[in-house]
Amino acid sequence: MLPGKTYTPEDLVRLVVRRIWLIGIPFVLGTALAFAAGKYLPNKYRSDTLIMVVPQQIPESYVKSTVTTTIEDRLATLSAQILSRSRLERIILDLDLYPSLRQTLPMEDVVERMRKDIDPIKVEGGNNRDSNSISFHISYVSQDAKTAQKATERIASLYIEENLRDRENMAEDTNQFLDSQLEDAKRRLGEQEKKLEEYRNRNSGELPSQAANNLQAIQNLQVQVQALADTADRMRDRRLLLERQLIDLQSDPAALMAGASPTTAQNGSAEASTLQLLKTARERLNLLLAHAKPDHPDVKALQRTIRDLEAKQEAEGPQPSAEGTPAEKPATLAEGLQQKRIRDLKADLSDIDRQLVEKQDQEKRLRAAIAEYQTKLDALPKRETELVELTRDYSTLQTAYQSLLAKREDSKIAANLERRNIGEQFRVLDPARVPERPFSPIRWQIDLAGAVAGLGMGVFLVGFLEYRDSSINSEAEVVRLFNLPVLALVPLMVSAEEIRARRRRTILVSVAVVIFIASAAGFAVWKLRLLQ
């Protein structure tokens, strides 16, 4: 193209008229090829089904489902399962899909082709928490309308069956998991109960729950000790009384004679001899000194009596033996009574001493029991700390066990719900139908695209040839390029041979363009045909 060359509308019109054949041929050829390709391409039919998500028939407040995943997540999982090679290969073989492709391509490519023919699932309405208005579409594309309808029905049934199976399996898996966890919690709870039982048996009486019993036992024992002390005090008072009677009896033998019976008084004299009284007083003094101290008032009184009797004996002088014989009989009777009374008092004293010893032994045993209970009370803080640690673990395990038990029962109910197919389900709302007309190819669009492509190719060729053309075709171009006036015009003289050569070049270029366009269109049609 000449530098600085411009085109006016008249120039463009002349250019189009001059090269009309170069624009028309590609246009006609592109339109014809597009029309042929549209006629040659097979029809594609799409069958569609609408599936509604039916919510659980029993209210969630009564039975809570163990399947908590959202509809989108579950559909993604189901799609991955159904679009697997094993499932699609079975569908291909059962419905005899893609027979020509199966003869030329491996099964993996055929399965991949079917995945492309299955449109992605489209979820409509609702949200993750409200499944009352959720639905989704499943569609399949095939060259045969009946085959598209059958394949869509088969895929939809797989979604429904897999959903029921997956929900039931999830419920069963949850139930089994809770069973295993419950058994483990039960085992650990039993071990903890055994530890608690062993601890209670090992520290019986020192547990916090037994503190009140220990205090009550100590109080009861203290009451018994006080009762024993009171009884011992009374017995000691009685012993003192008996000792005083014994001392009095030993220190005043005349009182015994005065208290003797009348028969005894008639058989002896009214008074004992001084010698006999002195002898008796000395014996009583010896007995009294065995139980009392020398400064005891009774000892001192008996010593004064002995001194008086000794003084009286010295004043009376020695007594004749004849007179002593009759006086010995009353003294002997009195002494017998006195000895009997003394023996009785001593027996009573011995019995009281024995009882006092028994009371002391009982008191020792009671005080030992009190000390034992007090030791248990003193160990209470330590045992309480140990027991709190044990019971804390036991309470935690017990709470976990009760929680797992409740969850397992809920899981069993939810599993029964899924087994009876009254949980959330997929239900076909709009079944797959046989398509009445193909959705592809859209032939008028193909024809229009071919015409536009041919026209564009022709315009491109004209522009390319014009760009390569450097000839001068008018006076204005000479003036503009060389800035010289035109004196004369010499007409173009072309020989017949040059005209024929130009025509041959034109024809060759046109044929090459046509062949190129035809080859491209044929390759595209072959590729599309191969992909059907």
Side-chain angles (χ1 to χ4, degrees):
M1 186 175 67
L2 295 175
K5 185 177 182 179
T6 59
Y7 293 90
T8 63
E10 292 79 6
D11 295 337
L12 293 176
V13 171
R14 284 194 297 270
L15 178 63
V16 170
V17 171
R18 188 172 72 249
R19 300 183 182 277
I20 188 65
W21 59 271
L22 198 57
I23 297 176
I25 292 177
F27 174 75
V28 173
L29 184 60
T31 303
L33 289 176
F35 181 79
K39 290 294 185 180
Y40 182 74
L41 290 176
N43 294 328
K44 291 185 178 181
Y45 298 90
R46 177 189 287 120
S47 181
D48 182 86
T49 182
L50 179 62
I51 298 179
M52 182 179 66
V53 180
V54 180
Q56 181 176 302
Q57 300 180 17
I58 298 178
E60 286 280 346
S61 57
Y62 294 157
V63 179
K64 189 174 182 180
S65 176
T66 55
V67 182
T68 58
T69 56
T70 62
I71 297 296
E72 287 79 2
D73 294 338
R74 271 183 286 149
L75 287 177
T77 303
L78 292 174
S79 298
Q81 295 175 356
I82 294 173
L83 296 181
S84 63
R85 175 178 175 176
S86 59
R87 298 292 181 85
L88 294 183
E89 186 174 352
R90 181 177 294 276
I91 296 176
I92 291 172
L93 296 177
D94 291 345
L95 300 180
D96 193 21
L97 303 178
Y98 311 105
S100 59
L101 290 182
R102 282 189 285 134
Q103 294 177 0
T104 58
L105 297 177
M107 183 57 72
E108 292 183 358
D109 295 341
V110 178
V111 170
E112 186 63 27
R113 171 62 187 278
M114 186 173 183
R115 289 196 185 102
K116 294 180 180 179
D117 290 339
I118 299 175
D119 293 339
I121 293 178
K122 301 176 183 178
V123 181
E124 298 179 354
N127 50 56
N128 294 342
R129 296 184 179 179
D130 182 16
S131 60
N132 295 329
S133 58
I134 293 181
S135 59
F136 58 94
H137 289 269
I138 297 175
S139 58
Y140 177 73
V141 177
S142 178
Q143 297 179 9
D144 182 70
K146 188 67 175 177
T147 301
Q149 184 258 345
K150 291 181 178 179
T152 303
E153 285 183 348
R154 180 69 174 272
I155 296 172
S157 65
L158 286 178
Y159 271 92
I160 295 174
E161 294 172 1
E162 287 298 326
N163 177 63
L164 292 176
R165 186 180 297 109
D166 286 353
R167 290 182 64 89
E168 184 176 350
N169 291 336
M170 291 176 66
E172 291 294 339
D173 293 342
T174 303
N175 197 13
Q176 293 177 3
F177 172 75
L178 290 176
D179 283 338
S180 63
Q181 292 297 312
L182 186 63
E183 289 297 328
D184 182 64
K186 184 177 181 180
R187 177 184 57 78
R188 291 188 295 163
L189 185 62
E191 293 176 355
Q192 195 67 20
E193 288 177 347
K194 187 176 181 180
K195 290 181 180 179
L196 277 173
E197 182 180 0
E198 292 176 353
Y199 180 81
R200 290 192 178 99
N201 293 333
R202 186 172 60 253
N203 301 286
S204 179
E206 298 180 3
L207 301 177
S209 59
Q210 298 172 334
N213 296 334
N214 292 338
L215 289 174
Q216 185 64 37
I218 289 176
Q219 293 176 359
N220 295 336
L221 291 174
Q222 288 176 346
V223 170
Q224 295 180 20
V225 169
Q226 186 62 37
L228 285 175
D230 294 340
T231 303
D233 291 339
R234 290 194 297 270
M235 294 179 68
R236 291 188 185 95
D237 293 339
R238 176 172 172 74
R239 188 178 187 284
L240 290 176
L241 179 61
L242 293 176
E243 286 181 350
R244 183 173 294 277
Q245 291 178 1
L246 181 60
I247 293 171
D248 291 341
L249 182 62
Q250 293 175 347
S251 62
D252 191 7
L256 182 60
M257 297 299 299
S261 62
T263 307
T264 306
Q266 292 175 3
N267 295 332
S269 65
E271 295 180 356
S273 64
T274 302
L275 183 60
Q276 185 66 33
L277 292 176
L278 181 59
K279 180 180 179 182
T280 303
R282 288 173 178 172
E283 292 177 357
R284 301 302 173 267
L285 178 61
N286 294 331
L287 293 174
L288 185 59
L289 289 174
H291 297 85
K293 293 182 179 180
D295 57 350
H296 195 275
D298 295 336
V299 174
K300 292 181 178 181
L302 189 56
Q303 289 175 350
R304 287 194 299 270
T305 302
I306 293 173
R307 285 195 297 270
D308 294 340
L309 291 173
E310 290 178 347
K312 184 179 179 182
Q313 183 182 7
E314 291 178 357
E316 291 178 354
Q319 299 293 329
S321 58
E323 294 179 358
T325 305
E328 290 180 0
K329 183 176 181 182
T332 302
L333 292 174
E335 184 178 0
L337 293 174
Q338 184 181 11
Q339 293 296 330
K340 182 177 182 303
R341 179 60 177 166
I342 290 172
R343 285 195 299 271
D344 292 339
L345 292 175
K346 288 182 178 180
D348 293 339
L349 289 173
S350 299
D351 186 58
I352 291 174
D353 292 337
R354 180 180 56 78
Q355 293 182 8
L356 286 175
V357 172
E358 293 178 355
K359 299 296 182 183
Q360 290 176 355
D361 293 339
Q362 292 180 7
E363 184 178 359
K364 289 180 181 179
R365 290 194 296 271
L366 292 176
R367 291 192 181 278
I370 292 174
E372 182 179 356
Y373 281 110
Q374 187 62 43
T375 303
K376 293 180 180 180
L377 288 176
D378 294 339
L380 180 62
K382 180 180 179 181
R383 299 293 178 251
E384 187 174 7
T385 302
E386 297 172 351
L387 191 61
V388 164
E389 184 177 356
L390 288 174
T391 53
R392 181 177 60 246
D393 297 339
Y394 176 75
S395 300
T396 303
L397 290 174
Q398 190 176 31
T399 303
Y401 177 77
Q402 292 175 353
S403 177
L404 286 172
L405 184 61
K407 291 179 180 178
R408 188 190 67 172
E409 294 301 324
D410 294 339
S411 176
K412 285 184 176 180
I413 297 175
N416 292 331
L417 189 74
E418 299 298 338
R419 279 193 289 266
R420 297 178 63 181
N421 296 331
I422 55 179
E424 185 181 276
Q425 302 179 29
F426 291 167
R427 181 177 298 172
V428 176
L429 188 62
D430 189 6
R433 298 181 180 179
V434 179
E436 297 179 358
R437 60 176 179 271
F439 82 98
S440 177
I442 304 177
R443 289 182 169 79
W444 67 268
Q445 293 181 357
I446 296 176
D447 297 341
L448 180 61
V452 171
L455 182 61
M457 181 62 69
V459 172
F460 172 77
L461 290 175
V462 171
F464 178 75
L465 293 177
E466 188 65 22
Y467 175 78
R468 297 293 303 273
D469 187 9
S470 59
S471 62
I472 299 174
N473 298 319
S474 65
E475 297 178 18
E477 292 179 357
V478 175
V479 174
R480 181 175 59 81
L481 292 175
F482 301 105
N483 198 16
L484 295 173
V486 178
L487 300 178
L489 296 176
V490 179
L492 180 64
M493 292 179 291
V494 182
S495 64
E497 184 64 26
E498 291 177 346
I499 294 174
R500 286 193 297 271
R502 184 180 300 175
R503 288 178 179 176
R504 284 196 298 269
R505 288 196 300 268
T506 303
I507 292 172
L508 289 175
V509 170
S510 300
V511 171
V513 171
V514 169
I515 292 173
F516 174 76
I517 295 175
S519 300
F523 178 77
V525 171
W526 175 78
K527 192 66 176 177
L528 291 175
R529 181 65 178 175
L530 184 63
L531 295 177
Q532 300 302 319

